[in-house]
Amino acid sequence: MTTPQTPSAPQPATLPVVRLLPKANARAIRHGFPWVYANELVTDRRTRGLAPGTLARLEDENRTPMGLVAVNPNSKIIARMLDQNPETEIDQAWFETRITRALALRGQLYDQPYYRLIHAEADGLPGVIIDRFGDTCVIQPNAAWADALLEPLVAALQSVTGVTNVLKNASGRTRKLEGLDDASVTVAGTTPEGPLPVPMNGATYMADLTGGQKTGLFYDQRPNHAFAANLARNGARVLDVFAHVGGFSLAALANGASSALAVDGSAPALELAEAGAAAMNMQDRFATRQGDAFDVLTALRDEGETFDVVICDPPAFAPSRQAVEAGLRAYERVARLSAQLVAENGILGLCSCSHAADLAQFRTASVRGIGRAGRRAMLLHTGFAGADHPQLPQLAESGYLKSLFFRL
């Protein structure tokens, strides 16, 4: 009797070959840059005919092997480097090696199983996001190759971590760019019956893994939540704008803030924030206000409200290079409106998750907005994503999150 084997990708000997154009930067790829753009690859009829997610051996212009890549002829990122050994077999064991390495790092960082387990290229799985919530993981396979090889990926994930439930989240613009579907399903175990409680920075957050944004919770802000909470510990009045499920406000309450107001456009997100406050027995110090953030900031100013700590963590206003100029204007507007609500010698925290707008551009827009509000500022701290969101040094896009904390 033979043991059934988990499906894997085609064997290296049978793989097609794709080749770089002479103008491509082969050295950068050899030194760790993980992508090949469509204008860097020979795209003859055979290459254009490859199915999205096809594995292939990459060669430079001189036909020297460079590694094993996943090809998507329909994407601007036409090839993603999976392994620098072109003879590698992409099977469950290959996934297990990478997940084991990622799990070891998170075990060093955190004492509870709530974190981003796989952060795409930096953890050696291009386009793959995996967030862990105790015995449940949520996978975002945002590249065609990972979608095609989801079965061995999930088998490896369960084998290494022992998680019971695995959900596939198919939302987001990246999958659309790869030509993938938007069907989110439970691929192993059972679907959670409701939001899951997540302990972080002394607070309790309620994560909706099936109906919430992204995978259900933003782990990347963990160290910035902690920094802001520390500044709010002596009875501060806190305003958390673009609050989602109460990231900054609940952490502040858990660390000694006297009150917190969470503002968001999503009623379901604010309901989760309220549930988190109730789980912490702090509902009496917590309030929410639903509405457009710009409108609410303006209304609070007109009402004469001020706060000791104000945090604004908006969505990506500049998700692409084409949107940078408009995005920076939006960040400036956020800074101007929110600075007017900060009490004398209070704290203003401004965040950006737009990789297309770099730190210098975001800082300039923020300072300009603060100045237009008639306030003077000192920059106390610059924060980034937590260590469970490691950056690939060769890939600027992996360093997307920036947080600036000012004293006004």
Side-chain angles (χ1 to χ4, degrees), residues 139-401:
I139 299 180
Q140 284 188 310
N142 292 330
W145 77 275
D147 211 55
L149 292 176
L150 188 62
E151 190 173 338
L153 169 57
V154 171
L157 176 63
Q158 292 191 285
S159 172
V160 171
T161 66
V163 297
T164 304
N165 311 309
V166 181
L167 282 59
K168 172 188 170 183
N169 182 295
S171 64
R173 63 187 291 269
T174 307
R175 283 182 60 86
K176 192 174 296 184
L177 294 173
E178 286 276 304
L180 301 172
D181 64 55
D182 59 357
S184 295
V185 295
T186 297
V187 292
T190 59
T191 306
E193 294 182 359
L196 299 182
V198 176
M200 192 162 58
N201 289 321
T204 299
Y205 298 95
M206 303 306 294
D208 182 355
L209 307 191
T210 57
Q213 294 183 41
K214 302 290 186 180
T215 63
L217 197 68
F218 298 122
Y219 283 129
D220 53 0
Q221 285 281 23
R222 185 190 324 235
N224 301 313
H225 291 163
F227 185 83
N230 185 57
L231 293 171
R233 71 182 186 275
N234 294 321
R237 297 161 298 152
V238 175
L239 174 63
D240 182 7
V241 187
F242 305 99
H244 189 225
V245 298
F248 283 96
S249 44
L250 296 184
L253 288 176
N255 285 274
S258 65
S259 66
L261 173 61
V263 176
D264 201 272
S266 167
L270 291 178
E271 289 172 5
L272 291 170
E274 290 171 339
M280 298 159 57
N281 293 317
M282 293 185 180
Q283 60 269 37
D284 294 343
R285 290 191 273 151
F286 184 68
T288 63
R289 191 154 168 172
Q290 184 193 355
D292 175 82
F294 294 103
D295 292 343
V296 174
L297 287 170
T298 301
L300 289 170
R301 178 200 63 195
D302 293 344
E303 293 163 15
E305 294 283 358
T306 60
F307 301 84
D308 303 303
V309 177
V310 176
I311 307 291
C312 295
D313 182 18
F317 286 147
S320 64
R321 291 180 183 177
Q322 294 78 11
V324 167
E325 188 174 334
L328 292 173
R329 287 196 299 270
Y331 287 123
E332 180 182 330
R333 187 182 177 204
V334 167
R336 175 175 58 84
L337 292 173
S338 57
Q340 296 171 345
L341 300 175
V342 180
E344 184 75 12
N345 298 318
I347 302 298
L348 175 61
L350 300 171
C351 308
S352 166
C353 59
S354 299
H355 71 79
D358 65 26
L359 176 59
Q361 291 172 308
F362 174 56
R363 185 171 55 225
T364 297
S366 298
V367 171
R368 185 182 297 120
I370 292 170
R372 289 185 61 199
R375 303 299 298 271
R376 293 181 63 84
M378 63 173 73
L379 180 60
L380 298 181
H381 177 71
T382 301
F384 302 96
D388 55 344
H389 292 63
Q391 296 182 33
L392 184 67
Q394 298 88 345
L395 191 64
E397 286 83 350
S398 63
Y400 63 98
L401 183 65

Side-chain angles (χ1 to χ4, degrees), residues 5-19:
Q5 298 294 312
T6 302
S8 62
Q11 297 294 316
T14 66
L15 296 179
V17 174
V18 292
R19 188 169 299 115

